[in-house]
């Protein structure tokens, strides 16, 4: 069996069915195919995926600033192409609203979630946005830990925000994305993330 790789890419229209399947596996069916299609078409949305695939022999795309490397998988059991992670932000005025962040349960705990959050923050920085925000269930400690690791701070609570459980949402904010020192912070995270992915 050939080698398999994990790569970060922007979602494309040919992956709409796969992304809905991933959404159902990870998020219980948050958005529909039409919803994802609108995200792809929107100039204010960045929708990034982790994709698993066999090496196609394509040239590596031009190296962009803070572009993370593809990862070679060592425990190859399946040769099928598959989406295993998704992250989305909406640029609204000077804010990045992180609307989705999820990793397939089989691939959690390997540094892929933080790599995806990092890529979203890089996107926000490239768009010259000033801060990032999101809501998270108060009981979702893995996600809260992840966001705090990247400098998000609690700014409030929305009572009964989640319709499925009636649970409260924590509102988190991460400021200073336009600060002159933020590229240094990105560089520091980049090195840590690459180490973890290796
Ligand atoms: C939250 C989520 C995206 C994290 O992705 P992941 O790939 O498993 O996380 P990583 O391996 O990149 O871990 C990064 C950091 O997250 C935190 N974290 C991740 N899993 C954790 C766990 N089980 N317990 C506590 N903290 C955890 C840690 O701070 C970790 O950093 P460390 O390794 O230096 O301790 C993933 O658990 C997920 O998809 N959950 C379901 C969907 C969801 O809840 N999304 C968030 C909605 S707001």
């Amino acid at each position: 069996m050939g080698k398999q790789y994990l790569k970060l890419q922007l979602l494309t229209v040919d992956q709409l069915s796969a992304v809905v399947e991933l959404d159902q596996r990870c998020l219980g069916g948050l958005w529909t195919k039409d919803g994802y299609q609108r995200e792809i078409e929107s100039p204010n949305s960045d929708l990034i995926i982790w994709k698993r695939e066999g090496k196609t022999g394509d040239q590596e795309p031009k190296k962009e600033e803070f572009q993370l490397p593809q990862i070679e998988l060592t425990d190859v059991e399946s040769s099928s192409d598959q989406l295993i992670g998704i992250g989305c932000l909406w640029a609204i005025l000077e804010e990045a609203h992180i609307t989705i962040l999820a990793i397939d349960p089989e691939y959690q705990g390997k540094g892929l979630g933080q790599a995806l959050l990092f890529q979203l923050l890089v996107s926000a920085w490239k768009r010259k946005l000033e801060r990032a925000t999101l809501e998270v269930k108060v009981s979702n400690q893995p996600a809260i830990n992840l966001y705090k690791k990247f400098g998000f701070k609690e700014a409030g609570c929305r009572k009964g925000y989640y319709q499925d459980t009636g649970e409260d949402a924590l509102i988190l904010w991460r400021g200073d994305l336009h600060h002159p020192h933020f590229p240094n912070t990105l560089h520091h995270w980049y090195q840590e993330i690459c180490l973890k992915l290796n």
Side-chain angles (χ1 to χ4, degrees), residues 101-103 108-114 140 142 145-147 149:
L101 185 72
I103 300 294
Q108 289 178 6
K110 300 175 193 296
L112 299 176
Q114 66 177 15
N140 192 349
N145 288 355
L146 168 60
Y147 296 128
K149 188 173 168 182

Side-chain angles (χ1 to χ4, degrees), residues 135 138 156-163 165-171:
E135 282 102 17
V138 288
C157 178
R158 292 192 211 283
K159 289 275 169 206
Y161 180 76
Y162 293 97
Q163 288 177 347
T165 57
E167 205 176 317
D168 299 346
L170 275 185
I171 305 165

Side-chain angles (χ1 to χ4, degrees), residues 3 23 50 60 79 86 110 128 149 151 160 162 168 171 183:
K3 287 179 180 171
D23 178 311
W50 270 114
E60 277 290 284
S79 63
I86 181 169
K110 300 175 193 296
K128 303 193 187 326
K149 188 173 168 182
Y162 293 97
D168 299 346
I171 305 165

